[in-house]
Amino acid sequence: MLSPVILFVYKRSDHTKQVLEALSMCQNSKNTPLIIYSDGAKKNASSKDKEEVEQTRQILREFKGEKENYFLSIEIYESELNKGLAKSVREGITAQFDKYNKVIVLEDDIVPQKGFLKYMNEALDKYENEEKIWGISASAFPLENEKMVQQETFFLPVNSSWGWATWKETWNKIDFDIESIFQKFNQNSITTKEYNFGSYYYYQITEAQREQKIDSWAVFLMASMFLEKCWFLFPKYSLSKNIGFDATGTHCTEEDLFFNTTVTDFVEVNEIPLIIENEGKKQTEKAFQKQFGKPSLFKRVQNKLNPNSPYFILK
């Protein structure tokens, strides 16, 4: 048996169907347990929203009936209440770690490529006992100069949520207390510049979580990993594609287009030096600096018009 895939869905039936179909076509799917968490409609949801939640659940039921033999097993958990993405992810992953030691995580707008499961399982096995490695990303970040990066994979001091995987031991190390996170930042004299890899506004997003402007689980993984000086493994080219750029997602913005990089079907998990100072990191950081280091006039105007957005740029 391979590591299970945990899929979190809400009310996007078309997106969910695309993700499920792609998963069923992945190499090694027949040896993979598929666990799906379906969030409930909000308390004051409109009739349309309730209908969309039910349509999505109908897609899940039909998929299980038609393609259960494409996976080792399919489990569906339907929540009566609306938990929101952050709580759904935290509770779902924590529950599955009672049974499994490593998991692969997808959301309902992340479409995996054919070699997604192969890459994830190989990387999970390879780095399971490496304390410096906190997770595996299927999604690649942009590179300033792709030709300079010879390796198919490399390490970065940041995480990604567009198809990722981790281990039970690592998950249990994450500090989900936002005040505790900032206390540790202060104790370690962490500066905004130091935390904002490539000038991307990781620190400001963490502050937005503290101020309850956003509800994210990923900020806690990022902060905890940073404080422990640990890393994620990234591929040079993406094994997942985000299709949520249609205003239907929880956190999707136009900046996400920058992160939706070239996809490939397969990535080899070869032996690479266990170091953070690598060409992949260098070229990623340069691409980030180019995109986020000097915001355009349009961005500055946008920030002024919407100062409460957690996706603003400060400069």
Side-chain angles (χ1 to χ4, degrees), residues 14 18 35 82 93 95 100 118 121 138 145 164 166 169 173 182 200 213 216 224 230-231 235 251 256 278 293 311:
D14 289 342
Q18 289 183 63
I35 302 148
N82 180 267
I93 292 175
Y100 303 100
K118 178 178 181 292
N121 280 281
N145 187 340
W164 62 285
T166 193
E169 185 176 347
K173 293 178 183 177
F182 275 96
Y200 187 72
K213 292 179 180 178
S216 169
S224 300
C230 293
W231 321 319
H251 296 127
D256 290 328
N278 58 75
Y311 297 98

Side-chain angles (χ1 to χ4, degrees), residues 162-181:
W162 290 6
W164 62 285
T166 193
W167 304 269
K168 179 178 181 177
E169 185 176 347
T170 300
W171 184 254
N172 289 336
K173 293 178 183 177
I174 299 174
D175 185 350
F176 284 106
D177 184 332
I178 194 65
E179 293 304 324
S180 174
I181 290 292

Side-chain angles (χ1 to χ4, degrees), residues 42-75:
K42 295 179 180 179
K43 188 175 182 179
N44 298 318
S46 65
S47 298
K48 181 183 177 183
D49 285 349
K50 292 178 181 178
E51 183 179 338
E52 288 174 345
V53 169
E54 184 53 38
Q55 286 175 349
T56 302
R57 291 179 171 180
Q58 187 58 36
I59 291 290
L60 299 179
R61 297 171 193 133
E62 291 174 358
F63 181 82
K64 181 175 181 179
E66 295 171 4
K67 295 198 172 182
E68 190 161 21
N69 63 334
Y70 281 62
F71 297 87
L72 186 64
S73 60
I74 298 178
E75 300 174 47

Side-chain angles (χ1 to χ4, degrees), residues 70-276:
Y70 281 62
F71 297 87
L72 186 64
S73 60
I74 298 178
E75 300 174 47
I76 301 173
Y77 297 92
E78 298 179 0
S79 175
E80 294 183 8
L81 304 174
N82 180 267
K83 298 179 180 180
L85 180 59
K87 187 176 181 181
S88 293
V89 169
R90 284 179 56 180
E91 290 187 355
I93 292 175
T94 300
Q96 293 307 318
F97 273 136
D98 286 340
K99 183 176 180 181
Y100 303 100
N101 289 320
K102 42 195 169 185
V103 298
I104 301 166
V105 184
L106 282 172
E107 295 174 19
D108 60 6
D109 56 1
I110 308 300
V111 177
Q113 303 303 299
K114 189 174 181 180
F116 171 82
L117 294 176
K118 178 178 181 292
Y119 162 78
M120 287 300 214
N121 280 281
E122 288 178 358
L124 281 169
D125 289 345
K126 184 174 184 61
Y127 294 106
E128 184 170 10
N129 298 315
E130 294 288 353
E131 291 186 1
K132 293 292 290 184
I133 312 306
W134 269 40
I136 314 297
S137 173
S139 177
F141 281 154
L143 302 169
E144 176 67 11
N145 187 340
E146 291 183 359
K147 293 181 180 179
M148 294 293 293
V149 182
Q150 300 299 315
Q151 298 164 334
E152 289 195 56
T153 60
F154 51 86
F155 302 110
L156 291 177
V158 294
N159 64 303
S160 172
S161 59
W162 290 6
W164 62 285
T166 193
W167 304 269
K168 179 178 181 177
E169 185 176 347
T170 300
W171 184 254
N172 289 336
K173 293 178 183 177
I174 299 174
D175 185 350
F176 284 106
D177 184 332
I178 194 65
E179 293 304 324
S180 174
I181 290 292
F182 275 96
Q183 184 178 17
K184 292 173 184 176
F185 280 180
N186 292 332
Q187 289 171 348
N188 290 275
S189 301
I190 304 300
T191 64
T192 302
K193 183 177 181 181
E194 181 184 4
Y195 194 66
N196 286 354
F197 174 79
S199 294
Y200 187 72
Y201 27 93
Y202 288 108
Y203 196 93
Q204 289 86 347
I205 292 175
T206 310
E207 287 182 319
Q209 176 71 31
R210 188 185 200 181
E211 295 164 5
Q212 299 183 349
K213 292 179 180 178
I214 62 170
D215 186 21
S216 169
W217 59 269
V219 298
F220 297 101
L221 171 55
M222 168 70 182
S224 300
M225 182 176 72
F226 182 88
L227 287 163
E228 293 294 328
K229 297 180 173 58
C230 293
W231 321 319
F232 249 57
L233 180 76
F234 279 78
K236 180 178 178 180
Y237 298 115
S238 288
L239 284 154
S240 61
K241 182 178 177 62
N242 191 319
I243 58 170
F245 302 122
D246 52 5
T248 61
T250 300
H251 296 127
C252 287
T253 72
E254 66 176 64
E255 266 124 32
D256 290 328
L257 297 173
F258 167 75
F259 292 107
N260 223 17
T261 57
T262 304
V263 297
T264 186
D265 278 333
F266 293 97
V267 171
E268 293 297 324
V269 183
N270 297 319
E271 193 72 33
I272 59 173
L274 197 67
I275 55 174
I276 191 59

